[in-house]
Amino acid sequence: MSAATDSNLFQKLGLKHPLIVAPMAGGPSSSDLVAAASAAGALGAMGGAYSNAAAIEAFAAQVRQRTDKPFSINLFIPHSIPDVAPDQLERAVEATAGYREELQLPPPQLSAPYEEDFDVQFEAVLRIKPACFSFVFGLLPADHIRAAKKAGIPLIGTATTPEEAKALEDSGVDAVTLQGFEAGGHRGIFDAHASDPAIDLRDLLAQSVGKIRVPLIAAGGIMTASDVRAVLQAGAQAVQVGTAFLACAEAGTSAPYRVKLLATPERRTRTTRVFSGRFARGLENRFMDEMETKGAAILPFPAQNKFTRDIRGASTAKGSADFLSLWAGTGKGELWQGSAAALIDRLFEQ
């Protein structure tokens, strides 16, 4: 679709504000947060990557019980199942044995599959027919694109480089989220084994505006109304904001995660592979610091994500942030603890 027909995608959705409240899988994007964001005139987004089809459908039903406004669903594009050699798993078990002993966990059992079945998840999305379907980690296969378009579901891909943005545009998406290096959570890099291009949002926008004809959504380090104005003036048609909503009343952010965020106003973050095997940006903590000295013990994505799930779950249950993936971006500013609707109003104050 051309920019002329696509540039008002967000108006077509009936949004009051050109804002996506980022899909934050693993808890923060609760059905309450998604519904509140959509009801307030933004586009709420479910992070459905870790959910099976039944859970995705149940989540969507919960959102629709709360609002009739549009919302989005986000999934991870799958890649080939990684081969985890016995000696590689042995190193990983040895490197994390102390943590499991401290958390009173049994020895880990790891076997494929390491993630949910994407095709089954996608079929659930087609049944739900959300206002948009977004995805990260690559291109949506052509047959999936055709199915989404037949169902009338607009598609939003995620790019960390201009080349990825162009590939997404050529594949037939309706908009591209430009994810700057500042963004919290998983980096949307297509190749899980590649080094991070580390392009900040300002440069990514400058390299993409005028070259990518579908609408561009700016993501990464956006925390304030002035941040929003700056990227819209730089050529983005919309913004995607995640970290700013982590402490909102409706967010499903766990108690230790929330405490750590609020107790660390400077929010020192960096990218790491230690939690999932893919680069992701989060608050520095003990697990990140210690495991990064044991690089050979980090399994490939998504095996590492499954391998560390018991540690993260036990850390949450213990009320400790030491072993959690505390995803957060580099944006500056005090975290809002009121309603999502009030924060949305603040982000678009005149």
Side-chain angles (χ1 to χ4, degrees):
M1 300 176 75
S2 70
T5 59
D6 241 5
S7 61
N8 63 346
L9 171 64
F10 298 97
Q11 288 91 330
K12 287 180 179 177
L13 293 174
L15 304 184
K16 180 181 178 183
H17 303 295
L19 165 68
I20 299 172
V21 176
M24 297 177 283
S29 289
S30 65
S31 57
D32 284 342
L33 179 60
V34 174
S38 292
L43 185 68
M46 175 197 184
Y50 306 133
S51 302
N52 62 28
I56 291 172
E57 292 190 90
F59 187 103
Q62 290 168 2
V63 173
R64 284 176 169 157
Q65 286 172 0
R66 293 166 170 80
T67 182
D68 60 357
K69 298 298 184 182
F71 66 96
S72 178
I73 296 175
N74 176 273
L75 295 177
F76 293 169
I77 296 295
H79 294 267
S80 58
I81 298 173
D83 179 27
V84 178
D87 62 327
Q88 194 176 16
L89 180 57
E90 185 178 342
R91 286 194 299 271
V93 170
E94 182 180 352
T96 57
Y99 305 134
R100 289 193 168 87
E101 181 178 357
E102 182 177 336
L103 294 167
Q104 299 180 309
L105 289 169
Q109 303 294 321
L110 182 71
S111 61
Y114 305 121
E115 57 189 339
E116 296 294 333
D117 186 316
F118 177 81
D119 288 335
V120 176
Q121 290 176 315
F122 186 75
E123 288 168 4
V125 172
L126 293 178
R127 290 192 294 272
I128 295 165
K129 293 188 177 179
C132 286
F133 172 66
S134 66
F135 53 92
V136 295
F137 301 159
L139 302 175
L140 189 63
D143 57 338
H144 292 66
I145 289 178
R146 286 192 293 270
K149 290 190 178 294
K150 183 177 179 181
I153 304 171
L155 300 171
I156 302 174
T158 304
T160 62
T161 67
E163 293 77 18
E164 289 178 350
K166 185 64 169 68
L168 285 163
E169 178 185 38
D170 291 345
S171 76
V173 299
D174 299 282
V176 172
T177 297
L178 296 177
Q179 187 195 50
F181 188 52
E182 305 92 333
H186 277 102
R187 304 281 291 130
I189 305 163
F190 284 15
D191 183 354
H193 306 290
S195 59
D196 195 320
I199 304 174
D200 64 35
L201 180 57
R202 181 188 297 269
D203 288 341
L204 192 52
L205 269 169
Q207 294 171 39
S208 303
V209 170
K211 300 179 180 67
I212 306 300
R213 293 181 56 78
V214 296
L216 299 174
I217 302 157
I222 300 170
M223 289 284 294
T224 65
S226 61
D227 293 335
V228 171
R229 286 194 297 270
V231 295
L232 293 179
Q233 289 168 0
Q237 278 79 36
V239 296
Q240 180 168 288
V241 181
T243 302
F245 286 88
L246 283 172
C248 280
E250 299 92 346
T253 311
S254 71
Y257 188 174
R258 193 179 288 260
V259 168
K260 181 73 171 178
L261 282 164
L262 296 173
T264 316
E266 70 277 11
R267 293 195 295 278
R268 291 175 57 86
T269 69
R270 66 175 184 266
T271 59
T272 182
R273 293 183 188 265
V274 302
F275 292 102
S276 73
R278 257 188 179 271
F279 283 122
R281 181 177 293 281
L283 297 178
E284 297 174 349
N285 67 355
R286 178 182 161 195
F287 191 78
M288 189 189 295
D289 291 341
E290 294 177 1
M291 281 299 296
E292 284 187 350
T293 68
K294 310 171 185 178
I298 298 171
L299 303 176
F301 178 87
Q304 179 74 1
N305 192 62
K306 184 175 182 179
F307 180 71
T308 64
R309 189 170 292 149
D310 63 331
I311 293 174
R312 289 177 279 128
S315 191
T316 299
K318 186 181 177 183
S320 169
D322 284 350
F323 309 105
L324 298 183
S325 48
L326 304 166
W327 302 146
T330 65
K332 304 301 180 186
E334 185 178 353
L335 288 171
W336 180 252
Q337 297 183 64
S339 70
L343 176 55
I344 291 168
D345 285 342
R346 286 165 65 95
L347 289 174
F348 289 90
E349 63 188 2
Q350 295 302 314

